[in-house]
Amino acid sequence: MDLSAEELDQVINLALDIIDNPGNYTEACRGKKLATLFYEPSTRTRLSFTSAMMELGGNVIGFDSAANSSVSKGETVADTTRVINCFADIIAMRHPIEGAPLVSALHSRVPVINAGDGSHAHPTQTLTDLLTIRREIGRFDNLTIGFCGDLRFGRTVHSLIKALSRYKNVKVILIAPDELRLPAYMKEEVCDRYGVSYTEVASMEEVMPELDVLYMTRVQKERFLDEEDYDRVKDCFILSADKLATAKPTMRILHPLPRVNEITVDVDADPRAAYFRQVENGKFVRMALILKLLEWAKDPSNNARLIPDDATRNKHYCSNHKCICNNENVDTLFRPDRANPSQVRCVYCEAKPKK
């Protein structure tokens, strides 16, 4: 389910209390088990979930590669979920196929956390980003944030822009080469619909003085079908210490990591560099999310929020070859496009129907 603004605040506030009063939570999940189902590589997210559950007094089971699971034998996400339900109280899933965690949730008796699905979304990273902004900047309203690098495939960027659209007077500056610009549907459905001001620029230097947050991203080689396309854009935007000369003293640099060369190591010593503090915040916010989801799972009505009320099964086929509905035997579902209700989008990945 998507979290409301009130629920987001509950998770963030609980994370802040965990930071201030860690001793109150050391037995909160005693006897509970988290299953980490990671179908693609991860360091920070997987270890963050593991650490979070252990610090809550719980246990962790799971796998860290599709090759180490029955998916290598052809098992579907739905069937894997049904099996894991026999062993775990809550699931965290990362999957290269977009919409896979939603399909898992539809077949699960226990809460399922989307730990990243393809280039679609990464909601727990967004919670990490929000907690970091709250701790470093102190507010979400009246914020100017620059997103730099891969804005096309960057699921962390998409998720954070959606989350920030709930707050007042948020200005987004998009810094990317033409090949990696923010998708049109994000501009139309999120920015335009919710009144988020956005500007597209060609360099970070021209906007550096006005930024409260600079969110750097890696150009993701694994999302490109053509290696020549990747080579052409991989070094487009690199943040070095000298480029921070005009930045505010209070500005903060975030990055979901891993970095390659988009932030040079001479930036690490700058107090404005918050990306390693951001990693630690990920543990705290995932502790809070686990606790809240276990609490909310006691109310069966929450499961009804997984699929929008206006979703329909119809003749359309999703245009996204990386969508779960084009890779496994699941119902193809569409909902009206929020920006253009005469059109529809895939429930799982938000892509348009195939023409």
Side-chain angles (χ1 to χ4, degrees):
M1 67 181 181
D2 289 330
L3 300 183
S4 66
E6 180 183 358
E7 289 165 337
L8 276 176
D9 288 341
Q10 287 181 39
V11 173
I12 296 298
N13 289 333
L14 179 56
L16 291 169
D17 192 62
I18 290 171
I19 292 167
D20 291 339
N21 303 287
N24 293 344
Y25 299 92
T26 56
E27 301 291 323
C29 283
R30 177 162 293 280
K32 300 290 186 182
K33 292 187 288 294
L34 166 71
T36 54
L37 311 185
F38 278 62
Y39 291 77
E40 64 178 2
S42 169
T43 301
R44 277 149 299 280
T45 305
R46 185 174 62 84
L47 295 182
S48 180
F49 270 112
T50 299
S51 179
M53 193 60 168
M54 291 175 68
E55 293 204 17
L56 291 170
N59 296 302
V60 182
I61 60 174
F63 53 81
D64 59 5
S65 167
N68 296 330
S69 76
S70 288
V71 69
S72 62
K73 304 173 185 177
E75 186 171 65
T76 65
V77 166
D79 282 357
T80 297
T81 300
R82 292 184 179 103
V83 170
I84 298 301
N85 273 195
C86 300
F87 311 129
D89 301 285
I90 187 168
I91 293 170
M93 175 181 286
R94 167 165 289 185
H95 205 291
I97 300 299
E98 297 172 20
L102 176 55
V103 169
S104 177
L106 291 170
H107 292 87
S108 182
R109 302 190 309 268
V110 304
V112 175
I113 301 171
N114 181 354
D117 61 332
S119 59
H120 174 232
H122 195 352
T124 64
Q125 180 63 49
T126 299
L127 288 170
T128 299
D129 299 341
L130 289 173
L131 178 60
T132 304
I133 292 171
R134 173 79 172 270
R135 296 187 74 192
E136 298 283 339
I137 305 295
R139 68 183 190 279
F140 299 129
D141 296 330
N142 305 310
L143 192 73
T144 298
I145 179 168
F147 291 96
C148 183
D150 181 0
L151 312 188
R152 179 184 176 188
F153 298 109
R155 58 192 172 193
T156 60
V157 172
H158 301 175
S159 293
L160 184 53
I161 291 175
K162 287 180 183 178
L164 290 174
S165 71
R166 304 164 187 260
Y167 299 97
K168 297 178 181 177
N169 195 27
V170 173
K171 182 180 179 182
V172 170
I173 299 178
L174 306 170
I175 312 162
D178 290 342
E179 297 94 331
L180 296 176
R181 286 190 172 186
L182 192 72
Y185 82 86
M186 281 292 301
K187 300 173 194 173
E188 296 166 1
E189 188 167 325
V190 179
C191 297
D192 293 342
R193 183 184 179 207
Y194 293 104
V196 177
S197 171
Y198 69 90
T199 305
E200 294 183 293
V201 299
S203 72
M204 67 178 79
E205 290 90 336
E206 63 187 284
V207 295
M208 191 69 77
E210 59 186 291
L211 298 180
D212 298 306
V213 176
L214 174 59
Y215 196 102
M216 298 295 296
T217 66
R218 172 176 64 95
V219 176
Q220 304 174 81
K221 184 176 182 178
E222 64 270 26
R223 306 298 178 200
F224 282 79
L225 297 178
D226 188 328
E227 190 165 343
E228 288 185 4
D229 289 342
Y230 167 75
D231 289 336
R232 188 170 58 254
V233 301
K234 65 180 181 180
D235 297 329
C236 284
F237 297 97
I238 298 176
L239 177 65
S240 55
D242 60 294
K243 293 181 181 178
L244 293 170
T246 60
K248 299 175 184 177
T250 56
M251 189 269 277
R252 292 295 183 266
I253 305 159
L254 273 60
H255 192 309
L257 302 179
R259 68 173 165 186
V260 182
N261 65 338
E262 63 278 2
I263 300 179
T264 58
V265 294
D266 61 356
V267 176
D268 295 351
D270 193 301
R272 291 169 290 193
Y275 31 88
F276 291 117
R277 298 193 292 274
Q278 186 180 356
V279 173
E280 187 175 24
N281 286 331
K283 178 187 68 174
F284 298 128
V285 85
R286 289 178 176 105
M287 291 172 71
L289 182 62
I290 289 168
L291 290 174
K292 278 297 178 183
L293 286 178
L294 289 171
E295 174 190 329
W296 293 332
K298 297 174 184 177
D299 181 359
S301 65
N302 282 325
N303 290 332
R305 295 167 54 188
L306 292 172
I307 297 295
D309 293 336
D310 52 2
T312 59
R313 296 172 176 82
N314 54 35
K315 63 183 179 181
H316 297 294
Y317 294 93
C318 179
S319 61
N320 180 7
H321 72 281
K322 292 184 178 180
C323 180
I324 189 72
C325 67
N326 288 323
N327 287 270
E328 294 193 2
N329 184 22
V330 301
D331 287 335
T332 304
L333 298 172
F334 289 88
R335 55 150 178 84
D337 187 321
R338 308 304 186 207
N340 185 358
S342 65
Q343 298 183 7
V344 295
R345 288 190 178 276
C346 177
V347 165
Y348 305 107
C349 72
E350 302 181 82
K352 292 181 179 179
K354 188 180 295 182
K355 294 182 180 180

